[in-house]
Amino acid sequence: MANKTIVQLPEQTGVTDNDVLAIVDSGETTTSKIKVSTLLSGISGGGDLVGTTGDTLTNANGLGPADNIISGTTDFVNFGFNNYVANGSVNIGYDNTQLIGFGSGGVSIGRGNINGFTDYVSVGINNSHSCCGRTSMIFGKNNTDSSGVTLGKNNTSTNNNNPDSTIVGSSNTSNAQLVSIVGASNNASAQGVVMGYSNTGGADGIIFGGNNTTSNGGYPSSANIVMGNSNTISAGNTQTIIGNDHTISSTGLYNSIFGGKSNEITGTTSGTTIIGLQSFTATKDDMVYLPALTLVDYASYNFADDSAAATGGVELGGVYHNAGALRVRIT
């Protein structure tokens, strides 16, 4: 045969057991040959690379020993060992599982991840998608998610029928739809936002801080807001606390506590606000409770009568004084 360059050789369109490749050992002076099947067997570490007819495979498509369990027959990729592979799944690593009979399309990268349903993604170690046919993504370690996005470690999202929860942090638990948790050791059983640590959100709404607790008191939608530390809203609807160590146990509506410490609104009270007091309990509707007031710019509010106060810019119902005698403008 006349000398030819490689590009002049006829193209091989198939692979058979008789096909060989040239091998040159840098320590030898001779050229050897190796069968293609022997070469591929050595690369795969034990014969895992088998089947190349279209998209239909008869074994794992990838690299690694032959101890993977292959139950799928189409469109899957496996790189690693001890993986349990189903149709339409991708496994990179070891000890990963795509459960059979629960859909396809799962992706596991890492170790010990379990994908139970379609369109689940696990990146990390010992993560588990518990249920139930909804898109879910986990990044981290020892997380369990049924539907949503989880980033961190030891987090759990458990409500199979309520999707779209997002958890970022560690040791958080969500059992509701449309929940966003950022922090550590928080627990949310109603939709809303929880940020901080050791908060318990049992009512729709927003919690920022630490060791706060809300419950809906029987209302289907509570819309409570808590910001601070060690506050509790145990009943009612549309309640607001900003501060520390406050409690709203009233079954009423639209109560608020701002600032101060250890204040409480009880009974069936509605529409009441406490501002800046300490250890005070409110039980009446539509009240505003304040500590002592001080007019810092008192000299500018000294007027002889309502007419002079009006000229000076005091609105109807506004407060002024006459040589220290407190007055309210009514005309």
Side-chain angles (χ1 to χ4, degrees), residues 20-330:
V20 296
L21 297 173
I23 298 292
V24 178
D25 190 330
S26 61
E28 301 289 340
T29 59
T30 60
T31 300
S32 302
K33 65 182 180 182
I34 185 172
K35 287 185 177 182
V36 172
S37 60
T38 302
L39 178 62
L40 293 177
S41 176
I43 293 175
S44 67
D48 241 339
L49 188 60
V50 181
T52 57
T53 305
D55 290 330
T56 302
L57 307 178
T58 60
N59 208 320
N61 178 21
L63 304 176
D67 49 4
N68 298 292
I69 300 175
I70 311 300
S71 67
T73 58
T74 60
D75 302 327
F76 58 86
V77 176
N78 181 72
F79 291 86
F81 58 92
N82 289 340
N83 296 310
Y84 199 106
V85 185
N87 290 342
S89 66
V90 176
N91 287 279
I92 300 175
Y94 63 98
D95 295 334
N96 298 301
T97 299
Q98 174 69 44
L99 297 181
I100 309 307
F102 293 94
S104 60
V107 177
S108 292
I109 301 175
R111 170 172 61 86
N113 299 300
I114 299 175
N115 285 349
F117 285 83
T118 303
D119 299 330
Y120 277 13
V121 176
S122 293
V123 179
I125 300 173
N126 296 332
N127 299 299
S128 176
H129 296 279
S130 59
C131 196
C132 224
R134 301 180 186 273
T135 300
S136 180
M137 303 176 68
I138 298 177
F139 303 90
K141 179 180 179 182
N142 297 333
N143 299 293
T144 299
D145 192 357
S146 61
S147 181
V149 178
T150 299
L151 174 63
K153 65 177 181 178
N154 301 323
N155 298 296
T156 302
S157 176
T158 60
N159 195 320
N160 301 327
N161 297 316
N162 290 321
D164 303 325
S165 292
T166 301
I167 301 176
V168 179
S170 63
S171 303
N172 299 294
T173 300
S174 169
N175 189 31
Q177 65 178 345
L178 302 176
V179 172
S180 296
I181 298 177
V182 179
S185 302
N186 299 293
N187 188 315
S189 58
Q191 66 184 15
V193 177
V194 178
M195 299 183 67
Y197 59 93
S198 300
N199 298 296
T200 299
D204 300 351
I206 300 173
I207 298 177
F208 294 94
N211 298 307
N212 299 295
T213 300
T214 65
S215 61
N216 63 18
Y219 287 90
S221 179
S222 299
N224 294 317
I225 299 174
V226 177
M227 300 178 67
N229 294 285
S230 303
N231 300 295
T232 299
I233 298 178
S234 60
N237 191 1
T238 322
Q239 320 272 36
T240 301
I241 294 177
I242 299 178
N244 301 303
D245 300 311
H246 300 303
T247 299
I248 297 179
S249 59
S250 168
T251 57
L253 308 173
Y254 310 117
N255 295 300
S256 303
I257 301 176
F258 300 103
K261 183 180 179 182
S262 302
N263 296 301
E264 184 173 4
I265 300 177
T266 64
T268 60
T269 305
S270 290
T272 288
T273 299
I274 299 174
I275 301 176
L277 294 172
Q278 182 168 332
S279 301
F280 179 81
T281 299
T283 59
K284 295 182 179 180
D285 294 344
D286 303 318
M287 299 293 291
V288 177
Y289 295 96
L290 300 167
L293 295 177
T294 300
L295 292 177
V296 177
D297 192 18
Y298 59 87
S300 299
Y301 291 92
N302 185 18
F303 300 106
D305 52 29
D306 280 6
S307 178
T311 302
V314 178
E315 300 290 338
L316 281 172
V319 175
Y320 68 96
H321 70 94
N322 183 287
L326 186 64
R327 294 183 179 182
V328 176
R329 183 190 161 200
I330 60 174

